[in-house]
Amino acid sequence: MFAVVVALLLELQLQSTQAQALNAIDIPRVNTPSPGDWPQSNITGCGFTGLPYTNVLANCTEEIDPSAPDITGYWKNTATNETDELIEQCGSRWIDTSKSVIHDFPQCTGVVGDGLGCQDYSGPKIIEEDMLCSPIVTGCKFEEDEDGNKCVNLYTTNPATNTVTKVVSRCLQQDGKMIWVHPLAGTVIYEKVDVKDEPNCMKCMGGEFDGVTAYISEDELPCSYEEREWMRCSEEDMMTSSSSPSATPTTTANSSGNLKFHLSTTILSALFIGVVYATLTW
């Protein structure tokens, strides 16, 4: 009897674990915070005010598309030594997060306007024009450059010519660095941030609000984006703050999925203890 019950509990535990296996498409799209649903246009109020969203694809178990460069993680600009980009990948899904925006591409189909690319807001407009909401639509495609390096290339439609144009590229180099080519920023070389140095806060550096720190996305930093630094805060800083360091967006399935998993685990543990007790006293 005891063996049968234990086997049943183990089967339930396995089913609970398997329920956490999600493909990229199962996780809802995430957008940059804005005053309303996308697309908002010619109004202010778009962009992250505190810590950007992270771990959007944490529960995704699908293998990364073999044609994609594996550039998952935080990246720092080698010229400025500042961490300013987080990339998440799962299947053919690709997410790029910066201080101001999160650009979510549910599938890299290479087609602009098919509903599977990024439908979000322009980061430069948010930074340079007082958090102005300016909608953008772009598609991503996994390709190789002339040297055979795997790249994520972003395409959009040129309104003047109505033709699809490549606007941004990120290519993983043989030495592990990443080259980013952007029409406004030019060519930037990035290197991967060590896990121990991955950011967990956003802090105002210099100026009137020097030292003010955000630990969650709902925090509102008073400083401009130019004065914000995505950095690793110490455990002491985290302990003295009333904010939680987690910045997982509530718009994804992560929160509910984790809750279901913890509840099922708790229930199974309670059942197991009850069965053991009943067996010992039978």
Side-chain angles (χ1 to χ4, degrees):
M1 175 66 179
F2 176 71
V4 172
V5 174
V6 170
L8 177 60
L9 290 174
L10 290 175
E11 176 64 23
L12 290 172
Q13 180 69 67
L14 177 61
Q15 292 178 4
S16 175
T17 301
Q18 290 175 338
Q20 300 305 301
L22 296 173
N23 288 331
I25 201 66
D26 297 327
I27 300 173
R29 181 200 299 272
V30 179
N31 282 94
T32 299
S34 65
D37 294 336
W38 185 90
Q40 301 292 309
S41 184
N42 294 321
I43 62 173
T44 59
C46 284
F48 287 114
T49 59
L51 191 67
Y53 297 152
T54 61
N55 299 320
V56 174
L57 301 180
N59 289 340
C60 188
T61 56
E62 188 177 354
E63 294 291 332
I64 293 176
D65 190 309
S67 62
D70 187 352
I71 49 178
T72 302
Y74 289 89
W75 294 85
K76 64 180 178 180
N77 186 324
T78 57
T80 64
N81 205 37
E82 286 190 18
T83 299
D84 56 23
E85 187 162 34
L86 166 64
I87 293 173
E88 297 188 51
Q89 295 176 254
C90 187
S92 66
R93 187 166 178 173
W94 190 83
I95 300 177
D96 172 48
T97 306
S98 64
K99 298 178 185 179
S100 59
V101 296
I102 181 167
H103 289 164
D104 188 354
F105 299 78
Q107 287 187 21
C108 282
T109 63
V111 178
V112 179
D114 63 356
L116 296 173
C118 174
Q119 299 177 171
D120 206 73
Y121 300 98
S122 166
K125 291 287 186 180
I126 290 172
I127 293 173
E128 298 168 7
E129 299 187 36
D130 194 25
M131 304 184 79
L132 180 69
C133 301
S134 180
I136 58 171
V137 176
T138 53
C140 60
K141 189 176 183 179
F142 302 133
E143 298 177 300
E144 291 187 357
D145 63 14
E146 59 274 12
D147 296 321
N149 298 311
K150 291 183 177 181
C151 306
V152 179
N153 294 326
L154 307 187
Y155 291 83
T156 191
T157 301
N158 186 325
T161 62
N162 201 34
T163 58
V164 175
T165 306
K166 183 171 73 173
V167 287
V168 179
S169 69
R170 290 173 177 82
C171 298
L172 182 63
Q173 307 301 297
Q174 295 298 318
D175 60 1
K177 293 182 180 179
M178 179 178 68
I179 292 182
W180 179 55
V181 180
H182 189 277
L184 297 178
T187 300
V188 180
I189 299 175
Y190 279 91
E191 63 181 23
K192 193 78 170 288
V193 175
D194 290 336
V195 174
K196 63 180 179 62
D197 298 322
E198 289 183 348
N200 56 9
C201 70
M202 187 74 74
K203 181 175 290 190
C204 294
M205 303 296 288
E208 180 183 359
F209 304 104
D210 184 45
V212 178
T213 307
Y215 295 99
I216 59 174
S217 58
E218 289 77 16
D219 286 338
E220 295 188 12
L221 289 173
C223 56
S224 66
Y225 284 106
E226 288 81 1
E227 294 178 333
R228 298 181 190 183
E229 186 171 336
W230 211 353
M231 61 188 298
R232 184 80 179 182
C233 286
S234 67
E235 292 185 6
E236 182 179 351
D237 290 336
M238 305 290 280
M239 292 294 289
T240 56
S241 171
S242 59
S243 301
S244 166
S246 173
T248 303
T250 56
T251 51
T252 71
N254 292 356
S255 298
S256 60
N258 288 335
L259 178 59
K260 291 176 182 176
F261 176 76
H262 290 310
L263 285 175
S264 62
T265 303
T266 303
I267 293 171
L268 290 173
S269 299
L271 286 172
F272 182 77
I273 294 172
V275 169
V276 171
Y277 178 79
T279 303
L280 292 174
T281 55
W282 200 4

